[in-house]
Amino acid sequence: MAEETRCVLRLYGAPQGRLAAAVARFAPQWRAEAQWKCRGAETLLAVHADTPSGLKKAAQSLRSSFGADVYGAGDTSLAAAAVQALEAHDRLLACGDAAAGALLEARLEKVPGAEKVYDFGTMSYADAKTGPQIEKRARAKLGGEGDKPEPVRLALARAQAARRIVGTELAVACAERESDHVLVLSAKKGCWLRTVPAADNAALWLLDMIRRAAAGLPQAEGTGFLPAGQAAQNHAETPPQKKKHPLRVLLAVLLLLALAALGGGWYLTGGDLAALPERLKALRLPEWITLWQAHEPKPGARLI
């Protein structure tokens, strides 16, 4: 059987500006070339070489250049890659709301083995008992925001609540806004958030976030992260103000006054501070200012 001299690599979230530079790094002796096609954030890289060894080296070079952006080869779908990452690393996924569930379930329902790592809402947001528990905990976390809390804060709270209540390693939620979607992925160490324009494919972005998190890979450029401590306080809260220290303020004021007095004395005496008392007498200042002179030590006096 003849060895392959062609392959297709699949990337998601890779900066398109780096594609040409990565292909230009092919060594001449590999006798390899590549063409690519972009569909939104997804890129298909078709690689061809004259020999199997040349193809192998070219493919390895591309994988090295794009790292976590490469999710598969051949006909592998992003949904299948996400399921494989969850299975391979023993990660379970839960969903905190119907918006995220709708994004995932249409893509995962035809992937073999998906039910082993994702409950399709039956044990989370769609369950008659667990769903209200998730919502109750999420809204309690937000405090007194009324019946219409800020959508992103609510999605963040739902994802965190779902992960804790269902007991999974990962949980997702989605804030649907007029012009975009904010995707939330909660893990033990914190939460990832990504804003996706309404015209873009939010489902694929969410699957890619899950794939990377399950495998312990870095997220794509543009995906933010909230450490667990900040996520627990919810990202939109006003950061705590620094404590004021009255003693430090007083010391600073006294220091400024002392420097001002020193500068004034220097100016009046031309730099000879020892002549300052005589200079002050010559100015005929009010008595309360020169009161100290009445108690000025005389020559030969002892300080008691």
Side-chain angles (χ1 to χ4, degrees):
M1 182 177 178
E3 293 188 68
E4 294 289 337
T5 56
R6 297 175 182 271
C7 74
V8 175
L9 295 180
R10 293 176 172 267
L11 291 68
Y12 203 87
Q16 297 182 10
R18 291 170 44 196
L19 294 170
V23 173
R25 285 195 286 270
F26 286 179
Q29 60 269 28
W30 299 347
R31 291 179 292 175
E33 59 182 16
Q35 296 178 328
W36 59 88
K37 181 179 180 180
C38 298
R39 300 182 299 193
E42 186 174 25
T43 301
L44 303 183
L45 261 171
V47 188
H48 168 72
D50 290 350
T51 63
S53 62
L55 176 68
K56 182 178 179 180
K57 292 177 180 178
Q60 288 177 340
S61 175
L62 290 172
R63 289 181 180 274
S64 177
S65 295
F66 292 103
D69 296 334
V70 181
Y71 72 81
D75 296 329
T76 303
S77 68
L78 189 53
V83 170
Q84 290 170 8
L86 289 166
E87 284 189 297
H89 296 86
D90 295 321
R91 299 287 186 266
L92 296 178
L93 176 67
C95 192
D97 56 30
L103 293 176
L104 290 179
E105 287 153 21
R107 299 276 179 173
L108 293 178
E109 60 185 2
K110 295 182 181 179
V111 178
E115 69 282 354
K116 298 178 182 178
V117 294
Y118 177 57
D119 70 335
F120 289 86
T122 58
M123 297 176 63
S124 53
Y125 76 93
D127 180 72
K129 181 179 179 180
T130 308
Q133 289 179 345
I134 292 173
E135 191 68 12
K136 181 179 179 180
R137 178 176 291 193
R139 290 184 178 270
K141 185 180 183 65
L142 297 180
E145 292 198 16
D147 296 332
K148 294 184 178 180
E150 199 280 323
V152 179
R153 287 167 55 86
L154 181 58
L156 183 59
R158 283 171 171 170
Q160 293 173 289
R163 185 178 62 81
R164 293 187 176 95
I165 291 174
V166 182
T168 57
E169 290 78 14
L170 301 171
V172 294
C174 174
E176 294 180 312
R177 301 190 296 193
E178 186 176 349
S179 60
D180 57 30
H181 297 75
V182 179
L183 308 175
V184 180
L185 174 60
S186 173
K188 184 177 181 180
K189 294 183 177 181
C191 293
W192 289 276
L193 296 95
R194 186 175 188 93
T195 301
V196 180
D200 206 342
N201 197 320
L204 292 181
W205 271 115
L206 188 54
L207 287 168
D208 186 63
M209 291 170 66
I210 294 167
R211 172 187 70 87
R212 293 171 187 257
L217 300 172
Q219 292 289 332
E221 292 182 9
T223 300
F225 181 73
L226 281 174
Q230 295 181 29
Q233 298 172 4
N234 215 319
H235 79 289
E237 290 183 353
T238 303
Q241 297 181 352
K242 294 183 179 180
K243 294 182 178 179
K244 296 182 179 180
H245 299 277
L247 182 58
R248 292 183 182 178
V249 175
L250 177 60
L251 290 175
V253 171
L254 293 175
L255 178 60
L256 289 174
L257 292 174
L259 291 174
L262 181 62
W266 187 274
Y267 175 77
L268 289 173
T269 62
D272 185 10
L273 294 179
L276 182 60
E278 295 299 327
R279 181 61 178 157
L280 290 176
K281 291 178 182 179
L283 292 176
R284 297 182 179 179
L285 297 173
E287 184 179 354
W288 65 271
I289 295 180
T290 58
L291 183 63
W292 59 275
Q293 294 175 357
H295 306 283
E296 183 181 2
K298 300 297 186 285
R302 290 188 304 168
L303 180 65
I304 299 177

